[in-house]
Amino acid sequence: MATEYRLAEYGDFDLEAVVEIARAIRPDDYESVADLQDWHEVQRSADRLCARWLVSVGGSVVGSAYVGQSRWLPMTTIILYVAVHPDHQGRGYGRALLGSAETTASERGGEWTFSWAEEIWPRSTRFLDRAGYGAVERRWESTLDLQRCDLASLQDAVDRVVSSGIRIMSASSFAADRHDWRTELHRLYAEVETDVPAAFPVRAVSFEDFEAMVLGRRFNADGFFVALDGEQLIGLTEPQPVDDVPKAILQNLTGVRSDYRGRGIATALKSRAAIWAVQAGYTSIRTQNAESNASMLAVNDRLGFQRDRATIEYLKRL
């Protein structure tokens, strides 16, 4: 059967095949076609690189290599991720895709590439090791089983913080009181995100990216919670529904301003979001945290999140 490699930019490729490959590798992968469409539109609007090298065998896409710039990394650090369908691994497709993607990254001004592999797949980690990538961080994925969590303990965590004078409310309630709530929320989001421990500096999110990706299609104003001291925003947590898993929540950023840490506010925010999720009929919350972010991992452990697997993040100088 004929093998073909081609480069496609933005949405000009088979998104269904890309998602199918991701789920063949990991059946509970949360990526959806709609998520990819959202991402590509944001990239296009921001004039950032967003392309894929595809390999087709007999007319069917069996592997891809994403290559693109990120809103949170320096523009000269290019995200690069290779995925080959398990039925077609071990035939050199991944090596060819990686080489083509690295060439594209270099031609577009890339000085570094950033990639990742799940630790439970030694073939993937060896693949990156042999290609000259160096591990820089380990990121833990954790899941809270909402059907078994202790709601009383969660409520106690909320009550302790509220009794100290901190208010916790949904974004929908916050927005009802603030004319410029989007700007205020963006300011806090950018502050706490750039302060999260990471292996490299994180760029502050622009308002345009924030509006598209945080307040976009999957924004749930009733499940997104903020903390306030008086009228000042001091913390937030960002649960999002998952397109193809109706009972699941993906919890993205949770953060508190540095001068308010150590007072249980992050724990209270995540607890309040979990209570809301139970009441709304969800059965699980999945989140990810860098190993270097020991304080948030400790919060997750206290709330009953179970660490499922680790992802190793890599960098390579081109």
Side-chain angles (χ1 to χ4, degrees), residues 96-122:
L97 287 167
L98 180 65
S100 296
E102 287 182 342
T103 298
T104 299
S106 181
E107 291 173 347
R108 303 295 181 89
E111 298 175 2
W112 294 85
T113 50
F114 170 83
S115 193
W116 61 92
E118 290 194 12
E119 198 171 39
I120 62 171
W121 303 116

Side-chain angles (χ1 to χ4, degrees), residues 45-279:
S45 298
D47 196 29
R48 290 189 291 258
L49 172 64
C50 177
R52 283 186 193 263
W53 277 94
L54 304 174
V55 56
S56 300
V57 177
S60 298
V61 175
V62 301
S64 76
Y66 176 78
V67 53
Q69 292 162 317
S70 168
R71 61 107 177 147
W72 51 273
L73 287 173
M75 296 296 277
T76 54
T77 299
I78 308 297
I79 295 176
L80 196 156
Y81 179 72
V82 176
V84 176
H85 195 287
D87 293 344
H88 297 270
Q89 292 178 2
R91 303 177 189 181
Y93 300 140
R95 290 192 299 274
L97 287 167
L98 180 65
S100 296
E102 287 182 342
T103 298
T104 299
S106 181
E107 291 173 347
R108 303 295 181 89
E111 298 175 2
W112 294 85
T113 50
F114 170 83
S115 193
W116 61 92
E118 290 194 12
E119 198 171 39
I120 62 171
W121 303 116
R123 169 180 278 184
S124 298
T125 57
R126 288 197 301 268
F127 174 76
L128 291 174
D129 289 338
R130 291 168 180 168
Y133 285 76
V136 294
E137 180 67 280
R138 177 177 280 99
R139 183 170 294 274
W140 283 100
E141 179 179 286
S142 305
T143 301
L144 179 64
D145 184 347
L146 295 174
Q147 297 175 301
R148 298 184 177 184
C149 65
D150 186 344
L151 286 176
S153 294
L154 295 174
Q155 188 61 55
D156 285 345
V158 176
D159 292 342
R160 281 195 298 272
V161 166
V162 171
S163 67
S164 72
I166 300 299
R167 291 188 293 154
I168 294 178
M169 66 174 63
S170 67
S172 57
S173 297
F174 177 71
D177 292 336
R178 305 288 184 107
H179 171 71
D180 203 20
W181 67 273
R182 289 177 175 84
T183 301
E184 291 186 62
L185 197 56
H186 165 249
R187 189 180 300 117
L188 175 66
Y189 194 100
E191 179 181 346
V192 299
E193 186 182 42
T194 54
D195 201 32
V196 172
F200 30 74
V202 174
R203 291 193 301 145
V205 60
S206 70
F207 181 77
E208 291 75 19
D209 280 338
F210 173 78
E211 198 166 38
M213 299 304 295
V214 178
L215 303 183
R217 180 179 58 84
R218 290 202 292 140
F219 175 61
N220 189 311
D222 292 329
F224 191 121
F225 286 90
V226 297
L228 298 96
D229 184 6
E231 295 301 313
Q232 183 179 23
L233 272 178
I234 60 170
L236 60 85
T237 191
E238 179 194 8
Q240 290 185 337
V242 179
D243 283 332
D244 299 330
V245 189
K247 297 296 185 181
I249 286 290
L250 179 63
Q251 194 161 36
N252 294 324
L253 180 65
T254 298
V256 176
R257 280 182 38 181
S258 59
D259 49 336
Y260 281 88
R261 290 181 189 154
R263 296 168 55 176
I265 298 171
T267 301
L269 284 164
K270 296 196 85 165
S271 296
R272 184 64 187 88
I275 293 168
W276 163 81
V278 170
Q279 294 170 341

